Amino acid sequence: MAAILAKLVNASLDYAAFPSSMKHAIVMPIVKKPGMDLSSLSSYRPISNLPFVSKLLERVVAYELTTYLNTNHLLPTHQSAYHRHHSTEIALLCICNDALLAADRGMVTLVVLLDLSAAFITVEHYNTAGYFPN
């Protein structure tokens, strides 16, 4: 089975194409928090269950991309995203450390934080045919 999966993943990478059969998911509504009103649609969030091969291909592409970016030093040094063993906690520690060092030198620190958690809902999404929805 491993040889077949390897051929499928390698063919997808060689042709720079993601098989359309792997783009289909079973979407299940899951309650956001226990105790929410079950009759309200806003109480649910969609969970997409993708095929195993789709997840495997996604992991391989992510690994290849991050390896390429790290090997060629294309990511900023202080960026935590996409760096192995980096997290939001490390980013927070870096900001705190920089602020403390600046304060020791008598400097003022200004931090601007943006919450982009809802930004995704404003993006136009393609349907399976590749066209924008009406």
Side-chain angles (χ1 to χ4, degrees), residues 44-125:
Y44 295 90
R45 62 185 170 100
I47 300 293
S48 299
N49 292 323
L50 294 166
F52 167 76
V53 178
S54 174
K55 291 181 180 185
L56 176 68
L57 183 56
E58 181 181 320
R59 281 190 169 217
V60 169
V61 169
Y63 174 79
E64 292 292 327
L65 180 61
T66 54
T67 300
Y68 175 81
L69 293 173
N70 289 327
T71 302
N72 294 293
H73 308 290
L74 297 174
L75 292 175
T77 308
H78 297 294
Q79 177 176 321
S80 289
Y82 314 113
H83 281 181
R84 199 164 198 182
H85 306 298
H86 285 243
S87 65
T88 53
E89 291 150 357
I90 291 176
L92 182 59
L93 286 172
C94 286
I95 290 172
C96 290
N97 184 58
D98 290 347
L100 290 171
L101 291 174
D104 286 346
R105 287 181 267 153
M107 300 173 73
V108 175
T109 300
L110 175 67
V111 178
V112 178
L113 303 172
L114 301 173
D115 180 8
L116 301 175
S117 60
F120 184 74
I121 61 174
T122 64
V123 176
E124 287 285 344
H125 301 284

